[in-house]
Amino acid sequence: MSSHPRFAVDPWAVRETTLALEELGQTESVFALSNGHIGLRGNLDEGEPHARPGTYLNGFHELRPLPYAEAGYGYPESGQTVVNVTDGKILRLLVDDELFDVRYGQLRSHVRELDLRGGVLRREVDWVSPAGKAVRISSVRLVSFVHRGVAAVRYVVEPLGADARVVVQSELVANEPLPAPDGDPRAAAALSAPLEAESWGHGETSALLSHITRASGLRVTAGMDHVVSGPDGIGLAAETSGDLGRVTVAANLRTGQHLDIVKFLAYGWSAARSLPAVRAQVAAALTEARHTGWDGFVAGQADYLEEFWAGADVEVDGDPEIQQAVRFGLFHVLQAGARAEGRAIPGKGLTGPGYDGHAFWDTESFVLPVLTYTRPAAARDALRWRHSTLPAARGRAGELGLAGAAFPWRTIAGEECSGYWPAGTAAFHVAADIADAVERYRHATGDEEFERESGLELLVETARLWCSLGHYDHRGGFRIDGVTGPDEYSAVADNNVYTNLMAQRNLRAAAASAERHPDLSSGLGVDDREIARWREAAEAVVVPYDEALGVHSQAEDFTQHAEWDFDATFPSQYPLFRSFPYFELYRKQVVKQADLVLALHARGDAFTDEEKARNFAYYEARTLRDSSLSACTQAVVAAEVGHLELAYDYLGAAALMDLHDLQSNTRDGVHMASLAGGWIGLVAGFGGMRDHDGKLAFHPRLPRALTRLSFVLGVRGRRLRVEVGPEAATYSVEAGAALSITHHGEPIEVAADRPATRAIPPAPERPRPAQPPGREPPRRA
């Protein structure tokens, strides 16, 4: 098994026992805290040194122009970039007038721990100043799941061996200098001083700073307040200016005494509310924070997570590293969506500025499947955000000469922000991914109110898009030409299988939903003729198949393209998009990430078992995993067709993406879809879970190294537990009414008092397929 010295393996924590300054970028992302509304990177309390300071508010962005060498009709003109807002994490410490800095003096110990059950980041440091004064600093940081707009830090200083004079400067800092971009197109564009000061003020232990962005016109207020305890004679002072708020605490500490500071942070922002209103919101949040108190925040955080883990935990026996990784992934997925409430779930969550803070199709295709079965309210809120952006999506469709809604490839506020048309605008499958997430949520929850409020309209407008985008050929097939599927190395192709099959499901779902709610659908202008057109198009969708090879062509004529010369490609040239022109990639049989293979998972009901096995083997030899999205899908399909050890390898590549920094870019934020992929690889891969049209099915099988897999799913008011062993699986309902499922094709009804145990048939024996040279997943066993 692989090992990684950065973090100790622990089932419920991610712990760092030494401080490596050269890896601060990774640890700042891994130790980031968020609730979906506020995001704090895991910077050191004193602010420096850092790789990239970061405090983010979901949806808070600045506009920037998108330059083009040659402009064209329909090109997006404005980009949206997440803003590093006012940093309230900073607590600077002076010991006998010397500034605590881990780069100076002697760092005798330094431990940080992300507690996955407590929802806090702990830090304990023993430091000796250059003058020989020893102190112990303990801090605990949290972003509250219960109080949406509040974060808090408890900071404790005690002298070791001798008395000490200590001063703590607790700060709010706006417009922090950011490191320059490193040329990686996935990294965020740096913005220089995007915040203009509007108002500032302070009390004895508190401060408020208000700013507005120059171009987007968004207003933000950050506030802090403190509860200080320690020996008699503590000194307090406060000051504010446009970009700085500071509360200074001074104390003389004898050996055995300590200075204890609780810092409450509150944030509020709005595109519409006045400055007094936003300031009042933050002031009220700080008042409530003092009322709740530190112990109340810690208790509320633990209670929230206890409830979450009861309905979401995955237990793995046989691989402690995977056990830690899947819980770490679930924790970050929860952090990304728990309190987003009307905002997007970005590709990096709120852990870093990667991808400019944009949301992609990753949300609906990878993150929402996890939340739908573990935290459905968060999945509903994410889909409601998509619904709120329908006006922009309709406008974009009209600009492109299409009907319905054309959702953006990448966005923060709903407008298209991709300046590269072949991999942006042409990737229309995002519409079907949204529709698929709507249907999955409806089937899993039975939430008719959501369908009537948001789901129906999303299905209708996306179905209209497909009918205007596609056309019938002379053979009567419904074609969708000139689109880009999930594989961004094959752009602007005809009849991408994934896109067409997902559009087919979209069209069928829209027809069924419109018929379930005729009163609402008629209000959207839907009539029987339009429903009939949707169904006709769905039944006639073209699905390319290469008879000579016996496999589906990823898109029309893909299997006729020239092969990529892997033998002439050096390891330093991966990922290929950094070393070769896209034109060269587009005309070869080389796959960036699972595309046809993703269709085998998402639309497994459209393929036979033998077709899945042949397709998987064919595309394994051509798939590079140049994207973090690929490994979990390859794990799922590998497990389904019988390659259990290969699936295990891919599971590790997905689940350990950020803990092992496998793509060397975790510094820009964690890979939210890949972290969700750890759950997907276990539940859909080795648990074999599928939910096609509301029919819940399981085909479980374990690789040799895993001796037990247990997970829970929330399904239509029930809590279903699945326990998988090497030879048998047991299904039980822990809460709710009986539930009908299938096990390897056998129908079973499971009730609270009637768990069902069934034998697991052996996997089919097939030779392990080859991957492109040097692109094999790391072996786990």
Side-chain angles (χ1 to χ4, degrees), residues 10-12 14 116 308-309 312-317 319-334 370 651-652 654-657 659 674-683 709-711:
D10 184 295
W12 285 106
V14 177
L116 304 178
F308 170 72
W309 289 117
D313 191 25
V314 176
E315 299 175 67
V316 183
D317 291 350
D319 191 334
E321 197 171 49
I322 291 295
Q323 176 66 88
Q324 178 189 44
V326 69
R327 285 179 175 147
F328 170 76
L330 278 167
F331 180 75
H332 266 293
V333 167
L334 174 68
V370 180
L651 170 66
L656 295 166
M657 179 63 63
L659 290 177
S674 190
L675 293 181
W679 183 95
I680 292 170
L682 286 166
V683 172
L709 169 65
S710 176
F711 55 90

Side-chain angles (χ1 to χ4, degrees), residues 81-355:
T81 299
V82 66
V83 172
N84 175 37
V85 299
T86 309
D87 189 351
K89 301 185 298 293
I90 298 173
L91 290 138
R92 305 189 197 277
L93 171 65
L94 292 89
V95 180
D96 284 3
D97 302 324
E98 290 194 83
L99 185 66
F100 167 46
D101 188 317
V102 296
R103 296 167 292 189
Y104 300 94
Q106 181 187 359
L107 194 64
R108 295 197 300 204
S109 68
H110 191 282
V111 177
R112 286 190 290 177
E113 177 185 277
L114 180 64
D115 182 343
L116 304 178
R117 283 186 289 197
V120 298
L121 176 64
R122 298 188 182 92
R123 183 189 186 205
E124 187 162 302
V125 185
D126 280 7
W127 179 72
V128 182
S129 74
K133 280 294 178 73
V135 293
R136 174 167 296 151
I137 304 108
S138 303
S139 70
V140 183
R141 182 187 299 173
L142 64 84
V143 176
S144 177
F145 288 118
V146 179
H147 301 259
R148 182 173 184 252
V150 177
V153 184
R154 186 173 188 179
Y155 192 82
V156 181
V157 184
E158 57 181 308
L160 300 175
D163 299 349
R165 291 178 289 109
V166 301
V167 176
V168 175
Q169 296 173 316
S170 178
E171 296 183 344
L172 295 172
V173 180
N175 290 317
E176 292 174 294
L178 296 175
D182 61 3
D184 186 340
R186 295 167 293 183
L191 293 177
S192 177
L195 300 174
E196 292 186 345
E198 281 196 302
S199 173
W200 55 91
H202 60 270
E204 184 183 25
T205 60
S206 63
L208 290 179
L209 299 182
S210 298
H211 291 79
I212 193 166
T213 54
R214 292 187 175 90
S216 60
L218 304 182
R219 176 172 285 120
V220 60
T221 293
M224 64 177 177
D225 201 353
H226 302 79
V227 177
V228 181
S229 60
D232 293 339
I234 290 175
L236 289 169
E239 59 183 306
T240 50
S241 59
D243 285 351
L244 176 67
R246 178 182 291 147
V247 172
T248 302
V249 183
N252 296 328
L253 299 179
R254 297 183 181 277
T255 302
Q257 294 181 326
H258 62 268
L259 176 64
D260 189 329
I261 300 173
V262 173
K263 180 178 187 177
F264 296 113
L265 290 168
Y267 290 91
W269 76 269
S270 177
R273 291 199 299 272
S274 67
L275 175 61
V278 178
R279 285 176 61 86
Q281 174 192 354
V282 171
L286 289 173
T287 300
E288 174 58 26
R290 288 185 67 103
H291 175 255
T292 301
W294 173 257
D295 291 342
F297 273 93
V298 172
Q301 198 82 337
D303 289 347
Y304 187 98
L305 283 164
E306 182 179 15
E307 179 195 358
F308 170 72
W309 289 117
D313 191 25
V314 176
E315 299 175 67
V316 183
D317 291 350
D319 191 334
E321 197 171 49
I322 291 295
Q323 176 66 88
Q324 178 189 44
V326 69
R327 285 179 175 147
F328 170 76
L330 278 167
F331 180 75
H332 266 293
V333 167
L334 174 68
Q335 288 199 130
R339 302 301 303 273
E341 296 174 7
R343 303 291 175 192
I345 297 178
K348 298 290 188 181
L350 299 178
T351 68
Y355 304 120

Side-chain angles (χ1 to χ4, degrees), residues 373-655:
Y373 297 103
T374 62
R375 202 70 179 174
R380 179 196 61 213
D381 287 343
L383 291 169
R384 283 178 171 168
W385 168 74
R386 283 291 191 187
H387 182 260
S388 75
T389 67
L390 263 174
R394 289 192 187 99
R396 181 64 172 158
E399 186 178 29
L400 299 174
L402 300 170
F407 285 94
W409 179 241
R410 54 189 301 169
T411 190
I412 293 177
E415 294 79 19
E416 179 62 80
C417 293
S418 175
Y420 187 61
W421 184 83
T425 297
F428 287 101
H429 67 83
V430 64
D433 301 326
I434 293 167
D436 187 52
V438 167
E439 279 295 275
R440 181 186 301 109
Y441 174 80
R442 184 182 69 82
H443 286 308
T445 65
D447 188 347
E448 184 177 338
E449 180 183 1
F450 165 79
E451 184 180 19
R452 291 181 62 84
E453 287 181 351
S454 305
L456 170 65
E457 192 170 13
L458 285 168
L459 293 173
V460 165
E461 296 295 4
T462 48
R464 286 170 170 165
L465 175 76
W466 296 118
C467 278
S468 67
L469 192 63
H471 72 282
Y472 290 92
D473 61 22
H474 66 277
R475 292 184 294 270
F478 187 75
R479 303 175 57 87
I480 304 175
D481 294 335
V483 300
T484 300
D487 172 28
E488 295 163 21
Y489 287 172
S490 303
V492 196
D494 296 343
N495 293 312
N496 171 260
V497 169
Y498 175 84
T499 301
N500 283 19
L501 287 177
M502 295 297 284
Q504 180 186 64
R505 175 178 284 172
N506 189 166
L507 290 161
R508 290 171 174 168
S513 185
E515 289 177 339
R516 279 193 300 274
H517 305 287
D519 56 329
L520 295 179
S521 59
S522 63
L524 297 173
V526 179
D527 57 24
D528 291 343
R529 288 178 298 176
E530 185 171 24
I531 292 173
R533 285 197 298 272
W534 293 341
R535 287 209 165 99
E536 180 184 1
E539 297 312 309
V541 157
V542 171
V543 180
Y545 186 78
D546 188 321
E547 296 285 352
L549 294 174
V551 298
H552 287 83
S553 184
Q554 179 174 286
E556 208 158 82
D557 297 328
F558 177 85
T559 52
Q560 306 303 313
H561 291 177
E563 299 281 3
W564 186 266
D565 189 349
F566 291 111
D567 292 334
T569 306
F570 299 104
S572 62
Q573 292 178 301
Y574 294 102
L576 295 185
F577 67 84
R578 292 195 191 177
S579 304
F580 297 92
Y582 272 107
F583 166 74
E584 187 66 11
L585 301 173
Y586 291 164
R587 55 200 291 268
K588 299 291 178 63
Q589 287 192 63
V590 61
V591 181
K592 180 180 181 181
Q593 64 200 61
D595 187 313
L596 190 284
V597 173
L598 181 59
L600 302 180
H601 175 199
R603 284 300 316 273
D605 54 332
F607 301 89
T608 67
D609 290 345
E610 284 306 310
E611 286 174 341
K612 292 175 185 177
R614 291 195 304 270
N615 283 330
F616 180 76
Y618 185 85
Y619 287 96
E620 267 294 279
R622 293 157 178 83
T623 301
L624 301 179
R625 288 186 299 112
D626 278 358
S627 164
S628 62
L629 299 182
S630 195
C632 74
T633 298
Q634 290 172 276
V636 169
V637 181
E640 181 174 2
V641 301
H643 302 301
L644 296 176
E645 303 311 312
L646 177 59
Y648 185 38
D649 296 342
Y650 278 130
L651 170 66

